[in-house]
Amino acid sequence: MNDHTTPPIPAPAPALRPVRGMARLAVISLALAGALWAVRAVWEIRLAVTGEPASGPPDQGEGVHRPLTSLENSYHLVSAVGGAAVLICAIVFLLWLDNVRDNARALSGHKPRYSGFWLYAGWLIPIANLWIPRSIIADAHQDSAPGQRLPVSLNVWWGLWLIGLFSGVGLMYGDDTDQLIARAYTDPWMLFVSDAAVIGAAAAGILVVRALTAVQERHLHGTVPYGDSPVHPA
């Protein structure tokens, strides 16, 4: 009789999608979007300091628009470039999130709480966009690192995002550029608060990307078994 028992064959590690490259692009796009939004904030300060021309705001009502000053023209350009950077950042961020979400599902074997539809629509549908995007990222982190605390940066990022989102002049504002110029002349403080929130959200978003990517990179390279070795929240 053989007293030796054959050790169980370990289960193969789940196939994970590479995340480092997309994470780097997400970090770069967040940094670029935050920097360009800061430039926009500087232009709004310049508008506020310069003061409204005697001819009044650019949009004079009833479809009448006066000729723009050179500073107002340059603000249009800065705003357009910043808006394009935010759009690119959103696309790259969602591609990164799609990767880490798939990896979290492969690691945990759990079906995501929110379907792929919510990965995109959750940012746009009113009421749902108050919590679903944060929940998707939180679930991906918890499924990738069970038992570990969520990064502090996640709540900081989400709080600043909501301020920028619902301040009326932030990431999804309803005013056109000429109306924002008028606000910079007459009531700039809400613009400045919103700008600070958006810039802060971009910085905190970089920490979120780095924290979740670091968790999955440990599993991707096999340096840490799934569920082991807690990672300190960022």
Side-chain angles (χ1 to χ4, degrees):
M1 181 176 180
N2 189 353
D3 293 334
H4 297 285
T5 58
T6 303
I9 300 174
L16 302 180
R17 297 167 65 178
V19 291
R20 180 179 298 178
M22 190 56 67
R24 285 177 177 171
L25 290 177
V27 167
I28 291 170
S29 63
L30 281 163
L32 180 62
L36 288 173
W37 207 278
V39 172
R40 198 184 93 150
V42 170
W43 251 250
E44 288 166 356
I45 293 172
R46 292 179 63 193
L47 288 166
V49 170
T50 302
E52 188 174 75
S55 53
D59 185 352
Q60 310 249 305
E62 298 182 356
V64 177
H65 291 258
R66 65 163 171 77
L68 298 176
T69 67
S70 60
L71 180 58
E72 291 167 349
N73 262 322
S74 61
Y75 179 78
H76 270 266
L77 177 60
V78 167
S79 182
V81 173
V86 169
L87 178 60
I88 293 172
C89 178
I91 294 171
V92 174
F93 186 86
L94 288 175
L95 290 174
W96 166 81
L97 183 55
D98 186 44
N99 278 1
V100 296
R101 186 170 178 266
D102 279 355
N103 284 349
R105 177 171 50 195
L107 285 166
S108 67
H110 298 155
K111 183 179 179 181
R113 183 166 34 149
Y114 298 101
S115 68
F117 167 81
W118 290 109
L119 183 67
Y120 308 100
W123 301 83
L124 303 174
I125 297 177
I127 307 302
N129 61 3
L130 293 176
W131 77 87
I132 286 182
R134 180 198 174 278
S135 295
I136 290 173
I137 297 176
D139 289 350
H141 187 279
Q142 290 173 337
D143 286 343
S144 300
Q148 297 181 23
R149 292 174 55 194
L150 291 173
V152 175
S153 55
L154 177 60
N155 289 329
V156 174
W157 164 73
W158 189 243
L160 292 171
W161 167 269
L162 290 180
I163 293 173
L165 185 66
F166 294 107
S167 61
V169 290
L171 291 165
M172 293 187 181
Y173 52 84
D175 293 346
D176 62 24
T177 307
D178 283 345
Q179 289 171 320
L180 290 177
I181 290 172
R183 286 195 183 192
Y185 287 140
T186 59
D187 187 23
W189 295 109
M190 194 61 184
L191 281 174
F192 300 157
V193 169
S194 179
D195 289 339
V198 173
I199 296 165
I206 290 173
L207 298 179
V208 171
V209 170
R210 290 171 60 89
L212 182 47
T213 300
V215 166
Q216 293 196 346
E217 279 282 293
R218 286 170 168 81
H219 302 315
L220 189 64
H221 298 302
T223 56
V224 175
Y226 178 64
D228 289 353
S229 187
V231 178
H232 296 293

